[in-house]
Amino acid sequence: MKKTIIATALVLGIGTLAGCGTQSSDNTSKQETTAKATPSNEKHVLDWSYSGKTGPSNWGNIKPAYAISKTGKAQSPVKIDTTKTKKDAKITNITYKYQPTSFKLIRKDQMIQATAQPAKGRPDSTINVAGKDYTLKTINIHTPAEHQIDNKKMDAELQLVHTSKDNKTVIISVLVKSGAENKAIGDLTSVVANSTNNKEQTLKTTISTLGLIPTNDKHFTYQGSLTTPATTEGVTWFVYETPITMSTKQLDQLKSKLADNNRPTQPLNERVIYSN
């Protein structure tokens, strides 16, 4: 079933948590022997990182609240083998009611979070999945991408995090490759490049949220977790197969502060991945 899109005011030009079963070879594929620094001489804010003693393979040992990172059986991200997915048009259906949205952004070490801001006289950006509404709350960014489809590694990944009134989470994952400049993202990449650790900033332009969703509707869904500590499970993921593009300049701006902030892929275990 194709996705349904409802948008009252889409402005493409200017205006548009995150993620172990038993440790596998995927988890150790990233070198963690040397801690990559938060950009320049910034002081670390978080008690975890993407390398060294506080890197992904050790998240579950940092404190009890993070234990599921090593004991969980439904962790994210994952590798998606398209030949092994199961078609189900009903559970993969998404209805979008997206609006151009203003965001405030904060970077904590290599973790970035852009938080949607309410606008007077304009509804929030929402999606409907299985009859339930979810409101867009944040956009998280990873460079390179965390999810892999048929072992293809993309340059970046946007994770659009939505929550429902009963606190259920749905994350829309959009992969990014190098190519044409992305107009929908507004000034987000330049704001990231000029960000100060742990200091909130407001984007000057709105983000055309619907413009971030690939026009090719092929996507996959599975049950997983956030991809940063505490890697809480019970998250429904939708991962689009076709990447959007960003220019080399835009990707370099992201990498200047976020390079290698991707958690290695996690064991799929007994989970089923569905496609539309």
Side-chain angles (χ1 to χ4, degrees):
M1 184 180 292
K2 66 181 181 180
K3 75 178 176 218
T4 306
I5 299 176
I6 304 174
T8 58
L10 172 63
V11 182
L12 282 173
I14 304 177
T16 326
L17 256 191
C20 184
T22 305
Q23 297 293 324
S24 71
S25 57
D26 286 337
N27 299 58
T28 55
S29 61
K30 179 183 289 189
Q31 277 298 93
E32 294 178 5
T33 53
T34 340
K36 289 188 181 78
T38 296
S40 205
N41 6 9
E42 293 178 342
K43 183 178 179 180
H44 281 269
V45 174
L46 303 171
D47 60 2
W48 56 271
S49 70
Y50 285 97
S51 58
K53 294 180 179 179
T54 57
S57 65
N58 294 314
W59 286 351
N61 301 319
I62 293 173
K63 61 184 180 183
Y66 300 169
I68 199 169
S69 295
K70 65 177 180 179
T71 62
K73 300 298 181 184
Q75 291 284 290
S76 296
V78 298
K79 289 183 177 180
I80 298 172
D81 182 341
T82 58
T83 66
K84 296 180 179 179
T85 59
K86 184 177 179 180
K87 289 187 85 63
D88 190 317
K90 185 176 180 180
I91 68 171
T92 56
N93 189 59
I94 315 169
T95 299
Y96 287 87
K97 295 182 181 179
Y98 269 9
Q99 320 293 332
T101 304
S102 298
F103 285 83
K104 287 186 177 180
L105 179 146
I106 189 166
R107 177 175 61 82
K108 295 184 178 182
D109 303 338
Q110 291 171 272
M111 184 183 78
I112 202 80
Q113 192 170 71
T115 302
Q117 303 299 302
K120 187 176 181 180
R122 186 167 62 196
D124 292 331
S125 290
T126 63
I127 59 173
N128 185 282
V129 175
K132 182 182 291 188
D133 290 329
Y134 296 81
T135 300
L136 176 63
K137 295 296 185 180
T138 61
I139 298 176
N140 302 324
I141 307 171
H142 298 273
T143 59
E146 296 192 306
H147 286 87
Q148 295 179 26
I149 299 177
D150 292 336
N151 290 314
K152 294 177 183 176
K153 298 180 181 180
M154 292 295 165
D155 295 305
E157 180 174 343
L158 305 180
Q159 296 173 355
L160 285 69
V161 182
H162 306 71
T163 58
S164 62
K165 289 182 179 179
D166 59 351
N167 292 317
K168 301 299 182 183
T169 301
V170 169
I171 302 179
I172 305 293
S173 168
V174 180
L175 304 175
V176 182
K177 68 177 182 179
S178 181
E181 179 183 0
N182 190 297
K183 302 288 190 180
I185 205 70
D187 63 339
L188 183 136
T189 60
S190 63
V191 173
V192 169
N194 292 295
S195 63
T196 300
N197 206 16
N198 206 29
K199 183 179 180 181
E200 189 175 68
Q201 297 172 270
T202 301
L203 272 64
K204 293 180 180 179
T205 63
T206 57
I207 291 178
S208 178
T209 49
L210 192 58
L212 299 179
I213 305 302
T215 54
N216 185 332
D217 188 44
K218 181 68 175 179
H219 60 265
F220 309 93
T221 186
Y222 76 98
Q223 292 300 306
S225 73
L226 302 178
T227 65
T228 57
T231 69
T232 307
E233 295 184 350
V235 174
T236 300
W237 283 86
F238 289 88
V239 182
Y240 277 85
E241 181 174 47
T242 303
I244 61 173
T245 63
M246 286 188 188
S247 66
T248 299
K249 178 180 178 180
Q250 288 176 311
L251 289 169
D252 285 346
Q253 287 174 329
L254 295 179
K255 292 173 186 176
S256 69
K257 296 294 171 73
L258 308 179
D260 299 322
N261 70 338
N262 60 309
R263 186 189 193 192
T265 54
Q266 303 297 301
L268 190 59
N269 295 319
E270 303 303 316
R271 288 177 287 175
V272 177
I273 299 177
Y274 296 93
S275 63
N276 61 341

